């Protein structure tokens, strides 16, 4: 049995914890869960009944930092699900470093550490023989990273072009189909829980840029930083600009591009019949491979579907460790 801990017990952490505690993946035993208030730990495994919405009222809650749980040497796999911080990647970066240094495998959805310190973290993983998997950082449940690494590993990825942010795509879609202003579409998205109360990172294109850096570095060995991306968001897109695009069989989408010219994020005119022209909260990514040519993949880029990406990465770790007889 691989002993697993989850650090970050919010939207994703709760859903994943309950699935693992109910035995969603054989050979995984969930032994610990941490939030910002502290952690719970049971050597013989947590059961679904041990996992209420709020950990604070549990008598077994230890009000200590998650690093103490990681450092206990009772875990084989860390699932890191604390909030994305684009300034310094913390607290996730420290959690992931700590685990990899001890040879603990890591699965994460946290974009901060992967976008800011990919090379360093991969170096640590290589040194200690640990695995670091991060499918869930980009495109929710859409298997973008495993698609390239498992199905198309022998082909060369030449460029990436896509819609990587569901919030801005929802807003632009409402502006296109309902002729709403950006402000009104944003307010609607916030009421529906699609946009954060502070939507700056989404609207200004920074979330798309983070995801583009992660894809370019992990799939194209691009060695890029967030500061290398030319970023323009959608804040200046008007209803009139969308109406004019619509009149010529096009619309405006926030597009991230990684190719030989570098990385950039900007609102672009897109033909309505282009495969990446998806609407609502959907994401769409077009890969251009040297031999295969263009391949477009579409799906929900966030929310519940992200749990599927986490489960698949965890399953990959279990498979690899059972092959190397570490289970
Ligand atoms: N939600 C999605 O659809 C989605 C999709 C792709 C990627 N992601 C990424 O996945 C990560 C998790 O997302 P989420 O939506 O589950 O976030 P969330 O609901 O905000 O939950 C974050 C959790 O992290 C905990 N936390 C904060 N600081 C901590 C610390 N120092 N030590 C331990 N725990 C700490 C919080 O504790 P408290 O409960 O005590 O506040 C909370 O339980 C984020 O990085 C996000 O960007 C999310």
């Amino acid at each position: 049995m691989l002993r697993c801990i989850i650090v970050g017990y919010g939207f994703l952490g709760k859903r994943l914890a309950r699935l693992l505690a109910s035995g969603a993946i054989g050979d995984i035993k969930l032994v610990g869960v941490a939030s910002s208030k502290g952690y719970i730990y049971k050597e013989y495994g947590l059961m679904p009944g041990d996992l209420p919405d709020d950990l604070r009222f549990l008598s077994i809650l230890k009000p200590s930092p998650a690093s103490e749980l990681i450092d206990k040497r009772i875990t084989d796999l860390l699932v890191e699900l604390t909030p994305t911080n684009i300034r310094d990647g913390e607290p996730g970066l420290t959690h992931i470093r700590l685990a990899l240094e001890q040879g603990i495998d890591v699965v994460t959805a946290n974009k901060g550490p992967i976008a800011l310190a990919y090379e360093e973290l991969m170096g640590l993983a290589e040194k200690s023989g640990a695995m670091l998997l991060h499918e869930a950082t980009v495109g929710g449940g859409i298997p973008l990273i495993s698609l390239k690494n498992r199905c198309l590993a022998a082909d060369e990825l030449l460029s990436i072009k896509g819609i990587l942010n569901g919030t801005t795509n929802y807003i632009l879609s409402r502006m296109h189909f309902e002729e709403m202003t950006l402000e009104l579409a944003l307010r609607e998205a916030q009421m529906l829980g699609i946009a954060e109360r502070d939507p700056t990172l989404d609207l200004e294109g920074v979330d798309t840029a983070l995801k583009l850096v992660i894809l370019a570095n992990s799939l194209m060995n691009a060695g890029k930083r967030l500061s290398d991306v030319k970023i323009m968001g959608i804040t200046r897109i008007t209803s009139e600009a969308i109406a004019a695009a619509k009149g010529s069989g096009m619309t405006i989408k926030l597009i991230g591009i990684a190719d030989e010219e570098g990385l950039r994020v900007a609102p672009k005119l897109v033909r309505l019949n282009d495969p990446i022209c998806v609407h609502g909260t959907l994401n769409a990514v077009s890969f251009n491979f040297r031999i295969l040519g263009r391949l477009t993949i579409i799906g929900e880029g966030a929310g519940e579907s992200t749990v599927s990406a986490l489960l698949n990465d965890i399953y990959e770790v279990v498979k690899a460790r059972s092959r190397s007889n570490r289970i």
Side-chain angles (χ1 to χ4, degrees):
M1 278 277 189
L2 280 188
R3 297 159 302 173
C4 170
I5 59 172
I6 297 177
V7 173
Y9 188 65
F11 179 85
L12 295 178
K14 282 176 200 172
R15 285 164 175 76
L16 182 69
R18 287 169 189 153
L19 282 168
L20 293 181
S22 6
I25 299 184
D27 288 331
I28 282 281
K29 181 169 65 174
L30 181 67
V31 293
V33 167
S35 74
S36 68
K37 317 292 184 312
Y39 66 82
I40 57 171
Y41 165 67
K42 276 193 178 174
E43 184 185 348
Y44 298 108
L46 293 162
M47 294 292 130
D50 296 319
L51 298 164
D53 261 356
D54 197 331
L55 299 180
R56 276 179 302 175
F57 306 113
L58 291 176
S59 57
I60 57 166
L61 180 80
K62 193 140 187 249
S64 304
S67 51
E68 184 179 292
L69 177 65
I70 302 168
D71 244 349
K72 266 180 180 287
R73 297 185 186 273
I74 46 81
T75 188
D76 305 296
L77 168 64
L78 162 70
V79 183
E80 217 293 335
L81 299 172
T82 60
T84 289
N85 166 351
I86 64 158
R87 282 182 315 280
D88 58 11
E90 297 298 353
L93 185 53
T94 295
H95 297 153
I96 296 177
R97 276 194 190 120
L98 206 55
L100 294 176
E101 280 163 0
Q102 299 175 49
I104 296 169
D105 297 318
V106 175
V107 167
T108 189
N110 189 341
K111 294 168 281 235
I114 303 299
L116 300 181
Y118 182 70
E119 272 181 40
E120 179 211 323
L121 296 177
M122 279 303 181
L124 280 179
E126 203 174 316
K127 203 161 149 204
S128 68
M131 295 172 74
L132 170 59
L133 300 179
H134 58 90
E135 181 72 78
T137 52
V138 187
I142 315 172
L144 298 170
I145 293 167
S146 36
L147 178 77
K148 160 73 178 96
N149 290 345
R150 266 186 261 147
C151 306
L152 292 156
D155 207 340
E156 186 189 355
L157 182 57
L158 303 174
S159 67
I160 300 167
K161 178 177 174 183
I163 295 173
L164 296 167
N165 180 275
T167 304
T168 45
N169 204 33
Y170 179 84
I171 291 169
L172 293 173
S173 302
R174 297 296 281 165
M175 290 173 76
H176 179 94
F177 289 108
E178 308 302 327
E179 292 165 17
M180 283 183 178
T181 60
L182 188 136
E183 291 70 27
L184 196 58
L186 170 61
R187 225 172 304 141
E188 184 189 78
Q190 284 171 320
M191 269 164 45
L192 294 171
I194 292 167
E196 309 257 347
R197 218 171 308 145
D198 177 4
T200 317
L201 291 183
D202 293 325
L203 295 188
E204 293 187 349
V206 179
D207 178 73
T208 299
L210 274 178
K211 292 167 176 167
L212 195 63
V213 167
I214 293 174
L215 287 181
N217 288 348
S218 50
L219 303 182
M220 299 165 89
N221 268 327
K224 297 289 185 192
R225 293 170 175 278
L226 187 57
S227 55
D228 296 321
V229 191
K230 284 189 201 147
I231 310 173
M232 187 194 288
I234 65 161
T235 46
R236 285 198 229 144
I237 301 295
T238 59
S239 331
E240 290 76 24
I242 299 249
K246 198 170 171 178
S248 2
M250 292 194 269
T251 191
I252 297 175
K253 295 290 186 190
L254 184 65
I255 304 287
I257 299 176
D259 59 17
E260 73 281 354
E261 284 170 33
L263 272 53
R264 54 212 180 274
V265 174
K268 299 263 181 214
L269 283 169
V270 178
R271 294 219 156 272
L272 287 169
N273 61 0
D274 188 308
I276 67 163
C277 192
V278 294
H279 305 294
T281 55
L282 286 174
N283 282 196
V285 179
S286 261
F287 290 124
N288 185 23
F289 285 91
R290 185 173 294 286
I291 302 167
L292 177 71
R294 187 174 177 189
L295 175 68
T296 302
I297 180 162
I298 295 169
E300 280 298 340
E304 198 101 30
S305 73
T306 313
V307 179
S308 166
L310 291 167
L311 278 177
N312 282 301
D313 275 354
I314 295 169
Y315 183 72
E316 274 306 298
V317 172
V318 170
K319 242 178 23 185
R321 293 312 176 199
S322 62
R323 256 189 256 122
S324 60
N325 293 322
R326 259 180 58 176
I327 296 185

